[in-house]
Amino acid sequence: MSNEDYLKDISEIKNLMNKSSRFISLSGLSGILAGIYALIGAAATYWLVETYSNGTLYIFHGKVFWLCMVVLAAVAFFSIVTGIILTTRKAKKNNEKIWDSSSKRLLINFLVPLVVGGIYCLIILSQGRYGQTAGLMLVFYGLALVSASKYSLGDIKYLGYTEIILGLIASYYPGYGFWLWVLGFGIMHIVYGTWMYFKYDR
């Protein structure tokens, strides 16, 4: 066998190992759409605060607070549903299973830090410390991505590191928390999703 044949065999073995240990059918397009949903949600939240809370991003009272929570929940819901639909479609196209041991490991490693972070953010909100929530959301989301990257496309960890850095900056400069949230969940998702789409989906 020639060197090219050996390299081809090694490449095929590597691909088989990746498929057996990693869930690689994540859709880049779902990342783009998640970023768009986040930007729309941020715009709606900003309008609510500017209109009904005198432009103060940190002080929410009653109806405005719960409307903002509904917007945030809607962004998360549509992002998750879109991700499931597009990822399922990609997996079927590649003749891969959507629910196997690798996807289970991916989901567990993603959800543990994300759920813990979500609960902690709710505790912070209930205490009225609104300025810290944007940074905390970014940090825990970044940790979830880094944790899940071991069982999926390794590139995900770079988005995770970016989210963590933005979250730490938001924690140090809470006055810019809203805009850093927009940068992390909105713009960075679009940039990452576009990169992943052209690298893996096309």
Side-chain angles (χ1 to χ4, degrees), residues 39-51 57 60 64 67-69 71-72 178:
L39 292 179
I40 294 172
T45 300
Y46 190 80
W47 179 82
L48 285 169
V49 173
E50 283 287 324
T51 304
L57 295 178
F60 296 99
V64 176
L67 284 174
C68 290
M69 291 298 100
V71 171
L72 186 63
F178 175 80

Side-chain angles (χ1 to χ4, degrees), residues 89-155:
R89 183 183 301 174
K90 183 179 177 181
K92 289 181 178 179
K93 182 180 178 181
N94 296 336
N95 294 319
E96 297 174 354
K97 293 181 179 179
I98 188 66
W99 189 246
D100 56 14
S101 59
S102 59
S103 60
K104 291 176 184 177
R105 288 194 296 267
L106 168 66
L107 192 62
I108 291 172
N109 280 269
F110 180 72
L111 285 180
V112 169
L114 194 70
V115 171
V116 171
I119 294 172
Y120 187 60
C121 286
L122 290 175
I123 293 172
I124 293 296
L125 284 172
S126 69
Q127 296 173 348
R129 293 185 283 170
Y130 306 111
Q132 296 296 321
T133 52
L136 288 171
M137 290 174 68
L138 287 165
V139 168
F140 277 105
Y141 179 61
L143 291 172
L145 290 174
V146 173
S147 176
S149 67
K150 295 178 293 184
Y151 303 101
S152 184
L153 300 172
D155 304 83

Side-chain angles (χ1 to χ4, degrees), residues 21-42:
S21 62
R22 292 171 179 258
F23 184 75
I24 58 176
S25 292
L26 296 178
S27 169
L29 184 58
S30 65
I32 297 173
L33 292 174
I36 293 173
Y37 298 152
L39 292 179
I40 294 172

